Amino acid sequence: MNRTLRAAVCSVAVGGLALGLSSCSEAVDQVDKAVNETYEVTYEVTGKNVDSIDFHGGGGGGKAMEPKIESVSKPELPWKKTVTLRGIMPAAVMPVATDPEGAEVTCKIIHRGKVLEEQSAEGLVTAGGCTAESPITE
């Protein structure tokens, strides 16, 4: 973290509370960790007649507020993908199905064996998306 940003974080952390330099340094270290730490999630999509799946890929670009979105067209179901995300970037998977006969979609986001988010939908036009907060922010 550059010196100017570090000083700004220190000012905010101390902000009227005479906490001292060591407390400020701890707050800055926590911010650095939250921004730079990585975590893995596994996306799972099941159902029928899914046309595409968009997901936050994490690898090779994107920012926390503008993640890199990857796509898979006509995926074979069940579909599963493990990705590494960084910092406060949310995990997200968005399957889309447009089938006049109806479609069924279920998506899951799994982190360390725990389901962070699960959604199901069916119907003519289905966008059963899942979005989960970064486990680093917990």
Side-chain angles (χ1 to χ4, degrees), residues 79-93:
W79 178 86
K80 184 187 271 192
K81 175 87 173 175
T82 299
V83 299
T84 301
L85 301 174
R86 189 174 141 237
I88 60 172
M89 181 182 292
V93 60

Side-chain angles (χ1 to χ4, degrees), residues 37-131:
E37 189 174 339
T38 60
Y39 67 99
E40 274 191 358
V41 293
T42 299
Y43 300 130
E44 292 182 3
V45 176
T46 58
K48 66 177 187 175
N49 303 325
V50 173
D51 295 309
S52 65
I53 301 171
D54 293 338
F55 60 96
H56 290 177
K63 299 176 184 174
M65 300 312 289
E66 297 174 15
K68 178 181 177 189
I69 298 175
E70 298 182 26
S71 291
V72 176
S73 293
K74 300 290 182 191
E76 184 177 322
L77 298 178
W79 178 86
K80 184 187 271 192
K81 175 87 173 175
T82 299
V83 299
T84 301
L85 301 174
R86 189 174 141 237
I88 60 172
M89 181 182 292
V93 60
M94 292 84 45
V96 176
T98 56
D99 186 321
E101 299 298 315
E104 297 173 12
V105 176
T106 298
C107 62
K108 288 183 187 180
I109 300 173
I110 302 166
H111 173 67
R112 294 184 179 169
K114 177 184 172 191
V115 176
L116 299 178
E117 182 67 22
E118 182 174 5
Q119 296 291 325
S120 294
E122 44 183 73
L124 179 62
V125 178
T126 302
C130 294
T131 302

